[in-house]
Amino acid sequence: MIAEPARRGDRPSAEVIFWALDLETGGLRPDQYDILEIGLVPFTWEGPGEGQGWLVRPTRPVDPQALATSGLSLAELSQAPPLEQVWPQLTARLAGQLVVAHNAPFDQAFLRAAARRLGLPPLHVRWLDTLALTRLLWPGLSGYSLGALCQRLGLPRPGHRALPDARATGQIFLALLEGIASWSEEKWEEMAPSLPPEVLALAQGYSLEQDFRKLARTPGWSHRPGQRAYARRVAEALAAGKLALLEAGPGTGKTFGYLIPLLRRLAREGGRAVVTTRTRALQAQLWEHDLPFLLTELELQLPVALLKGRENYLCQRKLAELQGKLVDERALATLVGWSRHTETGDLDEVAELWASQEGRELLAQVRDSPLTCPGAACPWLRACHSRRARERARQAKLVVVNHALLGADLAWEGRVLGPYEFLVVDEAHALPAALRDAFSLEFSPTGVPWLLRTLRQGEELQGAVPEELLRKVAAAQRELWEALEPLVPEEPAAYSREDLEQVLPLGNMLRGTLEELASSLGESAAKLSEAGAELARNVAGAARRTAGTLRTIFSPDGEEFVFWWGREGGWPALHATPVEIAPLLAEALWPRLAAGVLTSATLAVGGNPDHLVRELGLPQDRVEFESWPSPFDYRRVRAFVLKRFPLPDDAAYPQAVARLLEEALAAVSCRALVLFTSRRLLLATRECLAGVPVLAQGVDGEREQLLARFRQHPPPVVLLGLDTMWEGVDLPGEELELLVITRLPFPVPTDPLAQALARRLRAQGRDPFPSLFLPQAVLRLRQGAGRLVRTPSDRGAIVITDPRASSRPYGAHFLSELPVPAQMLSHEGELAAALRSLFREG
């Protein structure tokens, strides 16, 4: 279990980074003299806070010289409290804290001796000595006394009283940190081994503060205390070799919060980092806006790169081969014009082509692909966009990728990204699913025909394989799918060896023909041109991998994979998905990282991230977790639960949801997003809606297209969304003011992976509901609810129409994770009145 997390967002914005302490004593020997005065001053990055001093009544004789030096008198000391009364106040402030003192061993000895003599609890603190540090870092000074150092720094000269001496000590330490923070990379490398880790960490924190102060001078920059605390935590994790799970609510500013310390770390100490995101929107934000801004404003010279999968880049050889062929001329002219000026070849740049069917079909023909790449024999090699992107990424100190590419790199044993020491995972809640996809196997009717088309259409491969063998592979593929297709159900379901019994011979036949094809290509490679040989090797490798996939998928045994089939977009497919990815990551990823940060607005359930730690196989001894709540006040946000409403499986439920939406939008004209977990329920609700404009995912378009139409459509309008609408959707302000969650988002009980995980948990003696299904559902609800409020001024309502949120014991787990307390509504009519009241207030 992870220790109870510190919620740094709950702390005051002026967080104490260390305490400065000074003692005045009755003499120089702790075995003979007592403490006469204690001075204690808290220091934040802004400087000293309000300190406190205590006079202490001595119980043993006092050296007259000590009184003369400090100016204290026995009369005033006799009126002071004994150390036993002061000690609890001291321990309460300093327990576990960093304490800075000038000649710290002297103060330590007196405090330790006093505690031992009086039977007081020991003072558990971490000490730093400014006397030793100044001698190390400022060699050659004529004097290192507190007065001499204050004179050198232009600070007020202390007067041998504990409180001003403590303040002076802390200011000297800040000056030391400032000097360390300005070191060159070479000096840092030389001096860092000689310094305590606490000093290095604080020097990095000082550097961060200077960065934030510099950025604060840029127009539009907003001061976010939580962002600074978050950035310091990232810096600490990078320095200490930790794997930090950092949960940060909307508005915290986590992107800059991890980029600033990461860039500073790379610039100062070297190394290489990968930053991965789930959504293209965040990837584009990082690459197009955040990184250029920070590198410019912080004056950092650091090579950075964006890398996507090869299929995202233009293949110029394929584009050249299209000239004169039957394609849409207008789309081709747009593509050719863009290709002459693009520096990256990233096909996402040609937005106008993605907007039309003709454009999308054209782009599909010019995507780069390892299967069809002739490698060094390609005449376009030097200008190849995907090759240049990979080269830039290998040379960069920081590479921005997505979760899918990170997973591909792990599956290919690091051959995609190369070695790196630091990893930042943004949108980390989505990492398990993405990595599970990367390690999964799939067999569908499209893979083998694509191989055959590549062989038949590639000019360099003409005659490489006997036509008879190609027909043999095609026939085996056709016969297998003719027999297999009727067996595949519409919804995902697990299958067994018995389910495949009648098609196993056909599967073995296809596998055998693919292996024969691979061997034939290998024999032919020596007779082909250089380009043809490279293509032959590519196709042979793909044929062998497909044969290997068939071997696994048609042998559904063992506990490592869950074997399932189903249809997506009408296409049947068979899958082998790892039941657990934790062992894979525990071996392939975490041990090779010097440090890492996994961050998201939703990592924990009830303040505990254990489910994610287990799922990702994170090493417990390296994991640290902290959470920052959103700085938004949510005063203009309400949450409602319909108590007396049909259950989601009730036949009357779609009509009830439709009626509720119609009444709500009649009361307040706004844009409403309705989130579903079932396509069937979405379609049924759409059929029942009347009198209000409706956009339904999968019916009226897909996610990005629908979101664009939704933003532009004047209210009222309803957008019905499925799985991909629950996260990564940014609809600020009036773009979204009503969010309806139709069902508590538990995993589908018939989902094969969920069933396999549940069986494994039961075998371990654990109940899968609290260990698996409930945490997943609560996180999903948090992600969905997070679509409503994206800026401090947003207003609106979250409505849960699943009455189980109020009637079942587990409902409290969901409601406790909403950004505002939920109000229970007894009947539908109350919602319209509540919404009118909310929108009048706004």
Side-chain angles (χ1 to χ4, degrees):
M1 295 288 288
I2 304 299
E4 181 66 21
R7 300 181 65 89
R8 292 203 172 193
D10 296 339
R11 302 180 187 179
S13 59
E15 185 178 0
V16 174
I17 56 173
F18 67 87
W19 295 81
L21 177 140
D22 187 76
L23 303 180
E24 297 299 326
T25 62
L28 299 179
R29 295 185 55 175
D31 59 339
Q32 293 184 6
Y33 298 102
D34 291 338
I35 297 170
L36 304 182
E37 187 179 25
I38 303 172
L40 191 63
V41 181
F43 274 76
T44 69
W45 291 115
E46 305 298 326
E50 185 176 351
Q52 184 169 358
W54 295 271
L55 291 178
V56 179
R57 185 196 311 158
T59 61
R60 294 183 291 185
V62 177
D63 186 336
Q65 183 61 41
L67 293 176
T69 301
S70 64
L72 293 169
S73 68
L74 290 175
E76 61 182 322
L77 289 171
S78 66
Q79 302 300 312
L83 186 61
E84 293 92 327
Q85 291 184 20
V86 174
W87 196 262
Q89 301 177 61
L90 201 63
T91 56
R93 286 170 171 80
L94 296 185
Q97 297 294 303
L98 184 65
V99 176
V100 175
H102 201 65
N103 193 12
F106 177 87
D107 299 284
Q108 284 180 270
F110 266 90
L111 290 167
R112 189 164 47 242
R116 188 167 52 246
R117 182 170 58 85
L118 299 174
L120 300 172
L123 193 60
H124 294 293
V125 301
R126 296 170 294 142
W127 289 92
L128 286 176
D129 182 12
T130 51
L131 179 59
L133 287 171
T134 51
R135 284 174 170 161
L136 173 67
L137 299 176
W138 297 339
L141 298 185
S142 57
Y144 290 93
S145 68
L146 206 57
L149 292 172
C150 287
Q151 185 176 4
R152 179 182 185 272
L153 295 172
L155 298 172
R157 192 176 182 87
H160 293 290
R161 290 294 301 268
L163 192 58
D165 283 7
R167 186 174 291 107
T169 299
Q171 289 171 322
I172 290 169
F173 185 57
L174 283 181
L176 288 167
L177 295 179
E178 181 179 6
I180 298 170
S182 66
W183 282 350
S184 66
E185 183 178 335
E186 294 75 17
K187 187 168 183 181
W188 184 275
E189 186 175 350
E190 173 195 350
M191 297 295 296
S194 305
L195 292 171
E198 293 89 350
V199 174
L200 296 175
L202 286 173
Q204 290 171 335
Y206 189 92
S207 179
L208 282 177
E209 285 300 310
Q210 296 302 100
D211 286 342
F212 276 109
R213 289 173 185 174
K214 185 182 294 185
L215 292 170
R217 296 193 289 268
T218 60
W221 181 266
S222 58
H223 174 68
R224 306 185 193 187
Q227 184 182 57
R228 295 193 180 195
Y230 177 100
R232 289 196 293 273
R233 188 65 195 86
V234 172
E236 292 166 8
L238 296 178
K242 297 295 185 179
L243 298 172
L245 274 64
L246 306 182
E247 185 178 78
T252 305
K254 61 182 172 62
T255 306
F256 280 6
Y258 63 69
L259 281 179
I260 295 170
L262 180 62
L263 291 171
R264 275 291 173 205
R265 169 85 185 198
L266 297 175
R268 174 180 288 141
E269 300 182 52
R272 189 165 179 265
V274 169
V275 175
T276 176
T277 75
R278 178 177 185 251
T279 59
R280 289 192 175 194
L282 182 52
Q283 197 176 18
Q285 175 190 315
L286 282 166
W287 181 247
E288 297 171 10
H289 304 290
D290 299 342
L291 276 171
F293 171 79
L294 290 176
L295 291 172
T296 299
E297 295 299 324
L298 300 180
E299 300 176 324
L300 294 174
Q301 300 295 321
L302 199 69
V304 297
L306 172 71
L307 186 63
K308 299 182 178 180
R310 288 184 66 163
E311 72 280 359
N312 291 281
Y313 296 96
L314 170 70
C315 174
Q316 292 174 308
R317 183 177 66 87
K318 291 182 178 180
L319 178 60
E321 291 173 353
L322 277 182
Q323 306 293 324
K325 292 189 177 180
L326 190 61
V327 293
D328 185 89
E329 292 185 5
R330 181 177 299 179
L332 181 60
T334 300
L335 183 62
V336 170
W338 165 79
S339 71
R340 291 171 178 160
H341 301 98
T342 180
E343 294 183 1
T344 67
D346 186 342
L347 294 173
D348 282 344
E349 294 176 0
V350 204
E352 58 268 42
L353 292 184
W354 288 106
S356 69
Q357 181 65 31
E358 297 81 8
R360 290 192 292 272
E361 290 175 356
L362 178 63
L363 291 173
Q365 297 182 60
V366 296
R367 293 176 180 271
D368 187 29
S369 166
L371 183 65
T372 57
C373 178
C378 179
W380 298 92
L381 178 67
R382 295 187 63 185
C384 175
H385 291 298
S386 68
R387 182 188 66 82
R388 290 165 65 181
R390 293 192 299 276
E391 287 180 353
R392 285 193 296 268
R394 289 296 185 106
Q395 296 166 3
K397 292 293 187 182
L398 185 149
V399 187
V400 178
V401 303
N402 59 28
H403 293 354
L405 191 57
L406 177 71
D409 178 66
L410 292 172
W412 284 85
E413 299 178 338
R415 293 196 293 272
V416 178
L417 298 175
Y420 54 90
E421 293 79 31
F422 304 103
L423 175 66
V424 174
V425 182
D426 205 335
E427 302 172 306
H429 63 272
L431 187 63
L435 296 186
R436 187 172 273 113
D437 286 346
F439 287 102
S440 295
L441 301 174
E442 178 183 329
F443 177 62
S444 75
T446 61
V448 173
W450 184 45
L451 288 177
L452 298 178
R453 279 197 304 273
T454 301
L455 286 169
R456 286 190 165 116
Q457 295 174 4
E459 295 180 5
E460 301 92 341
L461 293 173
Q462 295 304 309
V465 180
E467 181 61 30
E468 181 183 353
L469 178 54
L470 295 180
R471 286 197 296 268
K472 183 179 177 182
V473 175
Q477 153 84 3
R478 185 172 57 254
E479 290 177 31
L480 173 59
W481 277 106
E482 285 176 355
L484 188 57
E485 202 273 345
L487 304 178
V488 180
E490 289 293 330
E491 297 297 327
Y495 67 83
S496 65
R497 181 177 288 273
E498 289 72 24
D499 295 318
L500 299 177
E501 186 174 357
Q502 67 186 56
V503 298
L504 279 176
L506 296 174
N508 291 333
M509 182 184 299
L510 177 58
R511 192 180 78 219
T513 61
L514 287 169
E515 290 171 346
E516 187 179 348
L517 175 64
S519 298
S520 178
L521 284 166
E523 294 170 2
S524 301
K527 307 171 188 176
L528 300 173
S529 66
E530 186 180 354
E534 183 65 24
L535 290 173
R537 286 189 287 269
N538 291 344
V539 178
R544 289 192 186 92
R545 288 192 295 275
T546 304
T549 296
L550 280 168
R551 183 180 295 106
T552 301
I553 277 183
F554 279 78
S555 303
D557 302 313
E559 297 294 325
E560 291 185 11
F561 287 92
V562 55
F563 297 89
W564 59 282
W565 51 10
R567 298 172 187 268
E568 186 172 351
W571 286 100
L574 280 71
H575 307 262
T577 300
V579 177
E580 289 188 283
I581 57 170
L584 299 169
L585 301 181
E587 179 180 348
L589 180 58
W590 310 125
R592 81 184 204 199
L593 294 179
V597 173
L598 292 84
T599 189
S600 171
T602 53
L603 291 180
V605 175
N608 192 324
D610 276 358
H611 67 285
L612 188 63
V613 173
R614 285 193 299 267
E615 191 168 15
L616 291 176
L618 289 159
Q620 296 272 358
D621 59 338
R622 296 183 66 190
V623 171
E624 294 182 346
F625 171 67
E626 294 192 26
S627 177
W628 288 261
S630 171
F632 301 158
D633 57 31
Y634 291 93
R635 284 180 298 178
R636 290 153 47 95
V637 178
R638 301 289 184 274
F640 304 103
V641 175
L642 275 298
K643 291 174 59 179
R644 295 185 174 88
F645 208 70
L647 288 167
D649 291 329
D650 193 311
Y653 189 71
Q655 181 63 55
V657 173
R659 185 171 60 249
L660 184 79
L661 288 168
E662 291 165 358
E663 293 177 359
L665 294 183
V668 291
S669 181
C670 66
R671 294 182 180 87
L673 172 62
V674 188
L675 296 177
F676 293 84
T677 61
S678 157
R679 183 178 296 275
R680 178 190 58 78
L681 184 56
L682 180 149
L683 294 175
T685 304
R686 183 179 184 273
E687 289 298 315
C688 296
L689 277 166
V692 59
V694 180
L695 299 170
Q697 189 174 4
V699 178
D700 303 301
E702 290 307 326
R703 186 178 115 146
E704 297 308 318
Q705 178 189 3
L706 285 180
L707 287 172
R709 292 173 59 187
F710 182 65
R711 291 185 180 98
Q712 295 165 6
H713 197 294
V717 60
V718 176
L719 174 57
L720 309 181
L722 288 165
D723 181 68
T724 58
M725 292 282 189
W726 283 76
E727 58 182 291
V729 171
D730 197 16
L731 296 166
E734 295 183 358
E735 291 182 5
L736 177 63
E737 294 182 297
L738 178 60
L739 176 73
V740 179
I741 295 172
T742 59
R743 190 174 196 138
L744 298 180
F746 286 107
V748 179
T750 57
D751 176 73
L753 179 60
Q755 291 177 334
L757 287 168
R759 284 194 300 272
R760 182 158 294 191
L761 287 170
R762 290 190 190 99
Q764 297 169 358
R766 295 164 58 197
D767 185 344
F769 184 79
S771 302
L772 174 67
F773 298 133
L774 185 60
Q776 286 184 353
V778 170
L779 279 181
R780 195 69 171 153
L781 182 89
R782 290 184 64 192
Q783 291 155 13
R787 299 313 96 211
L788 182 68
V789 178
R790 310 304 299 169
T791 72
S793 60
D794 285 359
R795 71 168 179 184
I798 301 167
V799 180
I800 299 177
T801 56
D802 188 338
R804 294 176 299 172
S806 63
S807 64
R808 303 292 169 85
Y810 56 72
H813 291 281
F814 291 94
L815 300 185
S816 68
E817 300 286 352
L818 293 175
V820 294
Q823 302 175 37
M824 301 297 161
L825 303 181
S826 297
H827 56 83
E828 303 165 35
E830 291 181 336
L831 178 62
L835 291 176
R836 279 193 292 266
S837 174
L838 169 63
F839 278 60
R840 279 198 302 270
E841 292 174 10

